[in-house]
Amino acid sequence: MRSAEGARSSRADQADQRRAELLDAARRVVLERGLASTRVSDIAKATNVSGGLIHYHFATKDDLITAMLRATSESEVRRLREIIAGPGTAIQRLDRVLRFYIPNSRSDQSWILWLDAWALGVREPHVREILLELEGGWIEILTEVISEGMKAGEFTCDDPQGAAERLDGMLDGLVVRYTLHSGAMSRRRLLEHARIAAAREVGVERSTFPA
Amino acid sequence: MRSAEGARSSRADQADQRRAELLDAARRVVLERGLASTRVSDIAKATNVSGGLIHYHFATKDDLITAMLRATSESEVRRLREIIAGPGTAIQRLDRVLRFYIPNSRSDQSWILWLDAWALGVREPHVREILLELEGGWIEILTEVISEGMKAGEFTCDDPQGAAERLDGMLDGLVVRYTLHSGAMSRRRLLEHARIAAAREVGVERSTFPA
DNA sequence: ACGATCCCTGACTGGTGACCCAGTCAAATA
DNA sequence: TATTTGACTGGGTCACCAGTCAGGGATCGT
């Protein structure tokens, strides 16, 4: 049965919570130290837990990393969906997507994680699959926003899917540049590039975007 | 002095040649196995050379990898310069650049190398510097081609540098997608995206590009 | 000729890190 | 209460790998 206090943690809940905690710590550690120099013991330390416990919950280090990437990707797509679900005109919602795409600062970046994941994904099909879903999510959402803008008469575009792919690609590439060489590409300039390209793709003037 | 046969190898030449050979083997091995699972001994094996020799020519593994990345980057920029130095109209030369950017097949990709390098560059300033020069080279060359096209009256563009940055970013991002998920993005489609975006940036019709 | 210098070998070492396992303790179950 | 199950500890093991080092043979300068 349950312990006395209703919805409180059964042992299964406890294990789930611990697993989530470990995934969270893994993400923090990998962001800070990079995938290549992340040790299982680092993640244990960050959770104040013995090294053995990690292997109790996750058979191998790869399992842990993969699960962490999957969880992060899913949460990112979820947040993105919330963002476009909000109110506003199509152009406003498109702008919100662009701004969500672009990291706020060099330290904010969950982007560092995806750079590691791209390199890993070249060799690991599981990781590749996660990345495909993540990028597919972005493209899908961009496509939706553009299509709805067309229906509302705000946008003109003869290939929303293609436009979304181009926009997503450009943002990926520019964010890499911004992440690695923030000196050569400011956040402001990056956002400006994004708005110029997006405006062209959906057939509106760049000045249509909010200030 | 020299040995009898004119341009033949002095000891210094021999050492240089060996170093070049090691850099080349390093590149091949890293492309094949990935940076993370490349061992110094793998590179030694690929060169039919003892493990110790690597450390005779390169103090540390990091030195070797960094030198290899630098050499690869420089050679890439050099080849790119040759490509735009050739004859043709601006649109033809621009198209050559785009096609050089895009890998011919999933196995061709020196791109796999840059994915590893991006992840590494997040932590290693030396690597970051190399990447900055490489990407800077691409942008510079794109800017040149666009500017010359404007002088020739072929192109219209009010910010060649910005256009080059956007184009370079888009290509980076799309190539990542193509490299990781060749199923979701064919080479043909990638090239089509590149031409559409490039045509818009320089103010010509997409049909202006050669078939 | 002959010592100095260089390229190169291959066995060795020291450190490290993923994973294992025997045992502890508390909570769940009977 | 007695027994079982599950979460957790921490020390141990085993494999791996970057970098070292003593020596060997070739080639240089003199």
Side-chain angles (χ1 to χ4, degrees), chain B residues 94 141-150 155 157 160 163-164 167 202:
Chain B
L94 178 57
I141 284 165
L142 276 168
T143 307
E144 278 176 34
V145 173
I146 295 172
S147 295
E148 286 166 20
M150 288 169 63
F155 295 161
C157 175
L167 221 41
V202 301

Side-chain angles (χ1 to χ4, degrees), chain B residues 165-199:
Chain B
E165 284 175 8
R166 285 189 292 273
L167 221 41
D168 176 75
M170 197 192 76
L171 286 165
D172 274 0
L174 289 179
V175 166
V176 170
R177 188 166 170 77
Y178 172 57
T179 300
L180 289 173
H181 322 111
S182 49
M185 171 73 62
S186 68
R187 186 179 196 278
R188 174 180 296 279
R189 185 168 180 81
L190 172 41
L191 186 56
E192 181 62 17
H193 279 329
R195 284 169 168 167
I196 289 174

